[in-house]
Amino acid sequence: MVVSVISKVSEVAMRVFGSSNERTIREMLPLVDEVCALEPDFQKKSDAELRELTEQFRERLRGKSYEEKQRILDEMLPAAFANAREAARRMLVTPAPDSPYPTMRPFDVQLIGGIALHEQMIAEMVTGEGKTLVAALAAYLNVLTGDGVHIVTVNDYLARRDCAWMSPVYNLLGLTAGFIQSHQPQPEKAAAYACDVTYGTNSEFGFDYLRDNMEYEVDDQVQLKRGLNYAIVDEVDNILIDEARTPLIISGAVTQQSDKYYAACRVARAMKPVEHYEAKEKEQSCHMTDEGVEMAERMLGVKDLYADDPQVMEWQHFIETAMRAKEFYDRDTDYIVRDGEVIIVDEFTGRLMEGRVWADGLHQAVTVKEGLRLKEETQTIATITLQNFFRLYKKLAGMTGTAMTEAGEFWKIYELGVVSIPTNLPLKRLAHPDVIYRTEKEKWKAVVDEIDGVHGEGRPVLVGTTSIENSEMLSKLLQRKGIEHDVLNARPEHAAREADVVAFAGQPGHVTLATNMAGRGTDIVLGEGVADKGGLHIVGTERHEARRIDNQLRGRAGRQGDPGSSRFFVSFEDKLMRVFAPESTREWLRRVGMDEGMALESRMVTRWIEKAQKKVEEFNFDMRKNLLEYDEVMDEQRKTIYSWRQKILGRKGIDDELVALAEDAVEDGVDVYCPPKTPADAWDMDGLCTWFGRKFGEPVTIPTDVRSDADAISDLLIQKVKEIFERKCAEFGREAVVEFGRSLLLRVIDIRWKDHLHAMDVLKSGISLRSYAQKDPKIEYKTEAGIMFEEMMVAIADKVSDLFFRVHVEEKKERRISGIWQQGEARHDEFNAANEADRQRQAAQSAGEARPVEPIRGERKVGRNDPCPCGSGKKYKHCCGRR
């Protein structure tokens, strides 16, 4: 009874107030009315007057804070949209002579989409509703702040195309637009980023961010000169959901371990499922049984595979990775082989992911499985996930045809709401129920019959396949049937023709086979007479794990009020049904007695399939969320390092930075020779003085009256360091000293950061084992990562001080060293200096002197010179940190 009452109240509320989506749209309509009311006045303005308005808008925003700019943009939206709409009406002419819209004047629903983008939302718009123009509206408004706008596409072709298409609009309004491409010359890329609006792919924007944070001069940076202001992400579900699990990585060469990959591959091939290992398709994991462990030990000549020896323990990882490559990664489905290399095929789009590799040794394992020669192994130099890269933007928005199914994830991870924008004309697309068969063989026969029947009616057919292998197999079946067709998949000879193939897919009787890459961002225009016959027909040959991918395929038909239809064919041998379909479904089918060739067309079964898809989506969301939780630790550390590095690049306060690092080194040295919990009379004063002399290049004497006070000793030594620094500045010139210190700082930071990334990879790869000790791996990871980061920062301070203060004059003459003009020739090569330091340490030890221990900071959270966390306002060493 209570449930019934609540249901009726909800029903009444829905009728009165509408859904949350309807309320959001209703709140935007007054702004649309304001834009429309301004349209007659703007149509009377000259081109010059439209450009002048842009400058007036910009003048109003100059000198304002970010918050003030956003408030003013909200106020200017109607006028700015009216200006952009008029520019589009004048500059964008439809190429089709029979089009009912001779110019591309934005529809009212496109204005709604533009408002949603400005308000940092995701606009879900049906295919063909003009998302490219919608993005231009929001871009024009936000570029008025002078901070630049990035429009993110899924491939280089779309970046070029969209930029070329929208440039006339921007140019009329007095703005510039450019596009970035992979392998683009640096000057061209810098010019593109300097434009008001920059188009490019998600991966190229991300890689440019990493590359900019590896540069040694601000002038060599292309992206960070203006920063990350506002990004509009096209196909946002593909970029921020599907590709979010794959981090962007820039790598460098390291020591090769190819012999272990080949040995592990031999072991994996010899092992039998169930007997030697258990393969879990759902989790994509493999684990050896006891028999498998014994077999591996025999084949490798290892006594105990789980011995407490890093060289032995890593065999488990190599073998299980080889088994994953064997069980779950198939040629022409997950990857292709070209020119002796394994190239990944994106599981969601079917595109080749050039330059991308699977992490954690999986790529090497697949390469060896294919009998290919391994290239030199690499080590991560810089990395970031797409999730964390796009969260760096001050303002973020997106658009796609399919977002509502992932609305919860968009909000939880990016705080982006989703609004479904109404279509300009009523949607006429017909979605038929799924047709289910027992076996794949029966399903493929039915698919061919469906294509043949619709093709015979003169209608175009677009067939979506889930892999290269399936598209080529279906192509052979159609050839036997005598049906002409085009094939579009990730193979280079097909991918290069993508735009042309998709554009022709709407012609009468034409058949197109395509993987899931088909036509995202490219309109399929119906040929003459096709609409009268029912429009484009979509055939899905398998249900995908994500409902969005199926909806994207359906969305190829029925654009801008055109008719269209879709039907999916499924078998119980398909991966989704095999892994996730409920056993009750299989049992029911056995009871009803499905004979060979018998088809089942039932909306109930379609709902079962959608439930299975929902389970997979939840599973994948958990994986992405887990990745994000781990990466957030690295993200905070990355922000700290990159912010520090950017400050150094800008040559701001370098001298203070060098002295501060030297102070940290002194503090750590005092901690080593004057341990906090050791009586003062046991402190090693002679060792401290010797250490200081070797490290900073000048001898020091510690007066008797301060030898019992560690703080006083630190202050004395720090003052001495400052004096040494000032003498160097006087001898070489402050500018030269600072420039040398800047170069040294950047090199040491980069080397230590690279080593830290490697250490973090190792930590992450084994942290899950902590769960066997009843410990939370995530908490353990965060704790240890924090300690490792602190140790890295200590090591940077120690190394910089070690090298900087040992620079000495060898020859009195002007000479340029690494781009720096200095008085005298400085020996500042890090490795030479490090070797010299080792030589001095060995000499000191052989002479019986105290060993200058490299300080390691464990759980120390507050620096001695940091403000005390108690809030006293004093330094920690003079407050709660006093000995």
Side-chain angles (χ1 to χ4, degrees):
M1 180 65 182
V2 174
V3 174
S4 176
V5 171
I6 293 175
S7 177
K8 288 181 179 179
V9 170
S10 300
E11 199 174 309
V12 171
M14 183 67 74
R15 284 200 302 268
V16 175
F17 301 109
S19 67
S20 60
N21 192 80
E22 290 170 343
R23 292 195 298 273
T24 301
I25 297 293
R26 208 160 45 230
E27 290 169 0
M28 296 177 178
L29 291 179
L31 287 173
V32 175
D33 292 340
E34 287 185 54
V35 176
C36 293
L38 292 170
E39 187 170 20
D41 292 336
F42 277 77
Q43 289 181 350
K44 297 173 185 176
K45 295 182 184 294
S46 66
D47 291 356
E49 287 175 319
L50 296 184
R51 279 192 294 275
E52 178 59 28
L53 271 174
T54 297
E55 188 53 39
Q56 291 176 16
F57 292 149
R58 285 186 150 175
E59 185 60 36
R60 186 178 169 189
L61 290 160
R62 278 195 184 97
K64 300 294 192 297
S65 67
Y66 178 80
E67 291 73 19
E68 288 177 314
K69 285 179 180 179
Q70 294 306 307
R71 179 183 56 79
I72 295 171
L73 287 180
D74 291 341
E75 296 172 359
M76 293 194 316
L77 187 148
F81 271 34
N83 205 26
R85 176 188 246 185
E86 181 57 24
R89 189 185 69 82
R90 296 182 190 185
M91 302 307 296
L92 302 180
V93 179
T94 303
D98 59 344
S99 171
Y101 309 107
T103 65
M104 290 290 193
R105 169 189 172 275
F107 305 126
D108 289 358
V109 291
Q110 288 176 299
L111 297 180
I112 295 174
I115 295 168
L117 295 181
H118 169 65
E119 294 182 353
Q120 302 182 70
M121 302 181 76
I122 292 173
E124 183 185 76
M125 302 182 70
V126 174
T127 298
E129 291 294 299
K131 292 189 285 292
T132 305
L133 186 50
V134 168
L137 295 172
Y140 171 67
L141 174 63
N142 283 271
V143 86
L144 298 172
T145 63
D147 298 316
V149 172
H150 295 166
I151 298 183
V152 186
T153 65
V154 293
N155 59 49
D156 282 343
Y157 163 73
L158 291 177
R160 295 193 304 272
R161 188 205 69 176
D162 291 357
C163 180
W165 186 21
M166 291 295 112
S167 283
V169 178
Y170 297 128
N171 294 340
L172 176 61
L173 295 169
L175 303 175
T176 57
F179 58 88
I180 61 170
Q181 303 276 279
S182 56
H183 310 297
Q184 188 176 25
Q186 197 267 357
E188 292 182 15
K189 185 168 282 187
Y193 275 112
C195 292
D196 295 303
V197 181
T198 306
Y199 289 82
T201 64
N202 54 306
S203 58
E204 200 61 23
F205 279 121
F207 280 128
D208 282 342
Y209 171 76
L210 294 177
R211 285 189 284 258
D212 272 6
N213 279 294
M214 296 168 63
E215 294 291 354
Y216 278 69
E217 294 290 342
V218 172
D219 290 343
D220 293 333
Q221 294 182 322
V222 293
Q223 183 187 91
L224 295 181
K225 289 178 182 177
R226 301 185 75 176
L228 301 173
N229 174 47
Y230 177 41
I232 300 173
V233 183
D234 193 10
E235 307 298 356
V236 67
D237 55 327
N238 175 237
I239 292 172
L240 296 189
I241 299 293
D242 298 339
E243 295 194 23
R245 285 179 292 177
T246 307
L248 302 175
I249 298 173
I250 295 178
S251 302
V254 295
T255 306
Q256 181 63 280
Q257 288 187 302
S258 56
D259 55 336
K260 291 193 174 181
Y261 287 113
Y262 288 112
C265 183
R266 287 194 296 272
V267 172
R269 283 176 178 167
M271 287 187 171
K272 299 176 182 178
V274 182
E275 181 182 350
H276 296 121
Y277 65 90
E278 180 184 8
K280 296 184 178 180
E281 188 175 10
K282 184 175 180 179
E283 290 84 6
Q284 297 276 290
S285 64
C286 293
H287 301 286
M288 287 183 284
T289 62
D290 292 341
E291 290 78 6
V293 172
E294 291 176 4
M295 180 180 181
E297 290 171 346
R298 286 196 305 272
M299 292 185 68
L300 297 173
V302 174
K303 186 176 181 181
D304 183 0
L305 205 60
Y306 296 94
D308 188 15
D309 179 351
Q311 295 299 317
V312 175
M313 289 179 67
E314 65 182 8
W315 273 117
Q316 180 189 2
H317 171 71
F318 277 95
I319 294 169
E320 292 187 350
T321 302
M323 289 191 294
R324 286 176 58 208
K326 168 187 170 183
E327 285 289 327
F328 305 125
Y329 290 82
D330 300 320
R331 185 169 179 166
D332 291 338
T333 298
D334 302 293
Y335 62 91
I336 67 168
V337 174
R338 187 179 71 191
D339 299 330
E341 290 185 42
V342 168
I343 301 176
I344 300 172
V345 175
D346 187 281
E347 64 175 307
F348 297 100
T349 66
R351 298 182 189 279
L352 291 180
M353 302 174 74
E354 302 275 3
R356 300 280 281 275
V357 297
W358 288 302
D360 208 24
L362 178 60
H363 207 88
Q364 289 89 338
V366 172
T367 301
V368 170
K369 183 190 80 168
E370 289 292 335
L372 304 174
R373 184 177 179 181
L374 280 175
K375 286 190 171 183
E376 189 175 21
E377 201 170 346
T378 58
Q379 175 181 330
T380 301
I381 297 175
T383 179
I384 192 170
T385 60
L386 289 173
Q387 289 170 323
N388 278 321
F389 170 69
F390 281 106
R391 296 201 304 181
L392 292 172
Y393 281 87
K394 294 178 183 175
K395 190 171 179 179
L396 181 64
M399 50 190 186
T400 183
T402 48
M404 276 297 181
T405 57
E406 311 292 348
E409 182 168 351
F410 279 123
W411 180 254
K412 288 177 183 176
I413 293 181
Y414 304 100
E415 294 188 1
L416 292 172
V418 179
V419 57
S420 181
I421 310 298
T423 57
N424 182 53
L425 296 173
L427 191 64
K428 298 179 181 178
R429 185 172 63 235
L430 177 62
H432 295 290
D434 293 1
V435 181
I436 298 95
Y437 291 86
R438 285 194 319 169
T439 66
E440 280 195 327
K441 181 180 177 181
E442 298 169 51
K443 179 188 73 173
W444 288 115
K445 182 180 182 302
V447 167
V448 172
D449 291 343
E450 175 88 355
I451 296 169
D452 189 25
V454 177
H455 169 70
E457 298 172 3
R459 293 176 62 189
V461 184
L462 176 63
V463 186
T465 63
T466 58
S467 69
I468 299 171
E469 183 183 20
N470 285 345
S471 66
E472 293 178 346
M473 181 269 293
L474 181 57
S475 176
K476 291 177 182 177
L477 294 177
L478 293 179
Q479 287 172 6
R480 293 175 194 164
K481 198 85 171 177
I483 300 174
E484 293 186 6
H485 58 279
D486 275 329
V487 178
L488 180 60
N489 58 36
R491 294 203 184 278
E493 61 269 25
H494 300 312
R497 301 170 50 239
E498 176 181 354
D500 295 334
V501 171
V502 173
F504 195 66
Q507 299 307 305
H510 194 73
V511 176
T512 307
L513 309 186
T515 50
N516 291 319
M517 68 193 290
R520 294 203 75 167
T522 305
D523 287 337
I524 298 178
V525 180
L526 299 184
E528 187 174 352
V530 170
D532 297 333
K533 297 176 182 178
L536 177 68
H537 182 58
I538 303 295
V539 175
T541 59
E542 187 174 334
R543 282 287 202 140
H544 200 276
E545 289 182 352
R547 288 170 292 173
R548 290 179 298 101
I549 308 300
D550 294 340
N551 292 339
Q552 288 159 12
L553 182 59
R554 282 198 180 100
R556 297 294 94 206
R559 59 178 295 277
Q560 283 294 337
D562 288 339
S565 58
S566 65
R567 188 190 301 276
F568 277 79
F569 291 79
V570 182
S571 84
F572 275 91
E573 292 180 348
D574 294 346
K575 180 180 177 181
L576 179 73
M577 300 297 286
R578 188 174 68 247
V579 177
F580 291 99
E583 185 59 37
S584 58
T585 307
R586 302 170 188 268
E587 182 60 32
W588 179 76
L589 291 173
R590 279 193 287 268
R591 285 202 305 270
V592 298
M594 283 186 72
D595 297 325
E596 183 175 349
M598 178 180 175
L600 178 64
E601 187 172 329
S602 166
R603 294 195 180 277
M604 179 176 68
V605 177
T606 299
R607 286 195 296 272
W608 284 339
I609 294 172
E610 289 175 349
K611 284 182 181 179
Q613 289 176 311
K614 193 171 182 181
K615 285 182 182 178
V616 181
E617 289 166 2
E618 291 170 354
F619 178 74
N620 288 337
F621 171 57
D622 288 340
M623 288 180 62
R624 290 188 291 266
K625 186 180 177 184
N626 188 62
L627 171 69
L628 182 62
E629 288 174 354
Y630 277 103
D631 193 59
E632 277 177 341
V633 177
M634 176 61 76
D635 190 50
E636 290 303 315
Q637 297 178 358
R638 180 171 42 239
K639 287 176 182 176
T640 299
I641 289 293
Y642 283 178
S643 175
W644 186 20
R645 204 179 181 283
Q646 196 67 14
K647 178 184 174 184
I648 295 168
L649 271 184
R651 293 174 167 81
K652 297 176 182 177
I654 302 296
D655 47 357
D656 293 336
E657 196 72 47
L658 291 167
V659 172
L661 290 175
E663 290 180 10
D664 289 343
V666 167
E667 297 279 1
D668 290 313
V670 172
D671 284 345
V672 170
Y673 291 97
C674 308
K677 296 181 180 180
T678 303
D681 57 6
W683 289 349
D684 185 3
M685 290 294 103
D686 292 339
L688 178 60
C689 292
T690 302
W691 169 83
F692 184 90
R694 281 197 301 269
K695 191 170 193 66
F696 296 101
E698 289 192 16
V700 67
T701 302
I702 300 175
T704 305
D705 59 339
V706 299
R707 288 193 167 210
S708 60
D709 187 340
D711 286 337
I713 294 172
S714 293
D715 293 341
L716 174 73
L717 297 182
I718 287 170
Q719 184 58 39
K720 181 69 173 178
V721 166
K722 290 179 179 178
E723 292 171 4
I724 297 171
F725 179 80
E726 292 301 327
R727 280 199 296 274
K728 281 191 176 290
C729 290
E731 183 178 3
F732 293 106
R734 182 172 293 273
E735 183 178 347
V737 169
V738 166
E739 190 64 25
F740 165 68
R742 171 185 172 277
S743 176
L744 179 63
L745 266 169
L746 291 173
R747 281 207 309 277
V748 174
I749 288 172
D750 288 350
I751 291 170
R752 295 299 182 185
W753 176 243
K754 181 187 71 173
D755 292 343
H756 179 70
L757 289 178
H758 177 65
M760 291 287 283
D761 284 343
V762 173
L763 173 66
K764 188 175 180 180
S765 66
I767 202 69
S768 61
L769 297 176
R770 305 288 179 91
S771 60
Y772 292 114
Q774 305 301 312
K775 295 179 180 179
D776 187 329
K778 290 176 186 173
I779 294 176
E780 292 288 299
Y781 179 76
K782 291 177 182 178
T783 301
E784 295 205 19
I787 294 172
M788 289 163 58
F789 185 74
E790 185 72 12
E791 290 175 354
M792 180 199 68
M793 297 296 282
V794 170
I796 290 173
D798 185 67
K799 181 59 71 176
V800 169
S801 300
D802 214 30
L803 302 178
F804 178 82
F805 286 93
R806 281 211 305 275
V807 172
H808 65 278
V809 176
E810 289 187 351
E811 189 178 350
K812 276 285 185 180
K813 64 179 182 180
E814 287 234 80
R815 181 167 179 179
R816 186 172 179 86
I817 302 175
S818 299
I820 306 168
W821 284 97
Q822 291 187 189
Q823 283 287 333
E825 183 176 355
R827 287 196 303 121
H828 61 277
D829 181 86
E830 178 175 357
F831 300 104
N832 290 342
N835 290 337
E836 175 65 12
D838 291 339
R839 189 192 63 76
Q840 291 184 7
R841 287 190 181 94
Q842 291 169 8
Q845 291 170 32
S846 63
E849 297 179 9
R851 182 179 179 181
V853 180
E854 293 290 335
I856 297 177
R857 194 172 290 166
E859 297 185 359
R860 179 179 167 212
K861 299 299 182 184
V862 183
R864 285 169 47 75
N865 287 310
D866 292 341
C868 188
C870 74
S872 66
K874 299 179 182 179
K875 287 187 177 181
Y876 177 70
K877 66 182 181 182
H878 293 309
C879 188
C880 298
R882 290 188 72 87
R883 296 169 174 80

